[in-house]
Amino acid sequence: MTDAERELRLRTLADRVVEPVRRYLARRCDAATADEVLNDVLVVCWRRLGEVPAEPAESIPWAIGVARNLLANAERAQRRRDRLTAKVIALDPPPLASIDPAVTDDNDDAIAVRDALTRLRRDDAELLRLWAWDELESPQLATVLGISANAAAIRLHRAKKRLADELRKSAGPAGHVGSEEGSTDARR
């Protein structure tokens, strides 16, 4: 098939499937996502033009099936972005000046974690951010840091412990977490 024939076939296919796919997407997502997915459907149609059924009765469901899969991918990606945003806010929220005062009371834990991260060694804080923000586990951390997976696991464990220690320190006297001072067991 020549380039001109491929282009003509794609135009014919697009004329046939764009509106049904647009209607399908409009019932399931916002307009911006629908436009993005529709564009991706056309790219898939171009790349897989030889696989697209020639009959209109078959090509429309085929294109809707592609749209369905692409929409599911877009929704998964959005959920990942939402989880990542929540982790970023928890570990490194925006400066206090930009936090809405109405939300600050609900964000005390996030602020405590951010403050504790600033007191950690730079390498520990970066390791924790890679783990929490980028969802990297020891083998992936090892690749990023150029160390063994075992070393990465040990460093991550130690960084988590240091963060927990910093959080306990910042909790102040009311916390008394882990303090055995004054207990009968500590005197033995």
Side-chain angles (χ1 to χ4, degrees):
M1 185 180 305
T2 68
D3 287 345
E5 291 171 332
R6 282 181 59 82
E7 184 177 341
L8 178 61
R9 180 150 186 231
L10 180 66
R11 286 180 188 273
T12 303
L13 177 65
D15 288 343
R16 185 181 315 140
V17 302
V18 164
E19 284 310 310
V21 170
R22 186 184 315 267
R23 286 191 305 271
Y24 170 84
L25 293 169
R27 290 188 300 270
R28 287 163 176 79
C29 62
D30 62 273
T33 303
D35 288 343
E36 187 176 320
V37 171
L38 180 60
N39 288 333
D40 291 344
V41 167
L42 293 175
V43 170
V44 170
C45 286
W46 174 253
R47 288 182 182 154
R48 297 174 56 191
L49 197 54
E51 298 173 36
V52 179
E55 290 295 316
E58 296 173 13
S59 61
I60 292 171
W62 186 91
I64 289 174
V66 170
R68 181 176 180 266
N69 292 334
L70 291 171
L71 181 58
N73 290 343
E75 290 169 345
R76 276 191 298 278
Q78 183 60 49
R79 286 192 301 271
R80 281 192 303 272
R81 283 189 296 273
D82 292 346
R83 283 192 309 268
L84 179 60
T85 299
K87 283 183 179 182
V88 168
I89 289 171
L91 288 177
D92 195 16
L96 287 176
S98 67
I99 294 177
D100 182 355
V103 178
T104 302
D105 291 339
D106 295 335
N107 253 348
D108 288 342
D109 289 339
I111 292 168
V113 170
R114 184 207 55 213
D115 291 344
L117 273 174
T118 62
R119 292 188 301 273
L120 291 178
R121 290 186 352 222
R122 184 176 174 198
D123 290 345
D124 285 345
E126 175 64 12
L127 185 64
L128 289 167
R129 287 182 178 112
L130 286 168
W131 169 72
W133 292 0
D134 299 314
E135 299 179 357
L136 300 180
E137 295 299 327
S138 297
Q140 294 93 10
L141 290 168
T143 301
V144 171
L145 301 174
I147 59 177
S148 71
N150 189 42
I154 291 168
R155 286 185 189 180
L156 179 60
H157 174 76
R158 289 177 180 164
K160 288 177 182 179
K161 184 176 179 340
R162 288 184 191 111
L163 178 62
D165 291 344
E166 283 298 324
L167 288 169
R168 275 193 289 277
K169 285 179 195 174
S170 66
H176 293 294
V177 175
S179 174
E180 295 181 12
E181 191 173 291
S183 76
T184 56
D185 291 338
R187 291 184 202 155
R188 287 187 214 171

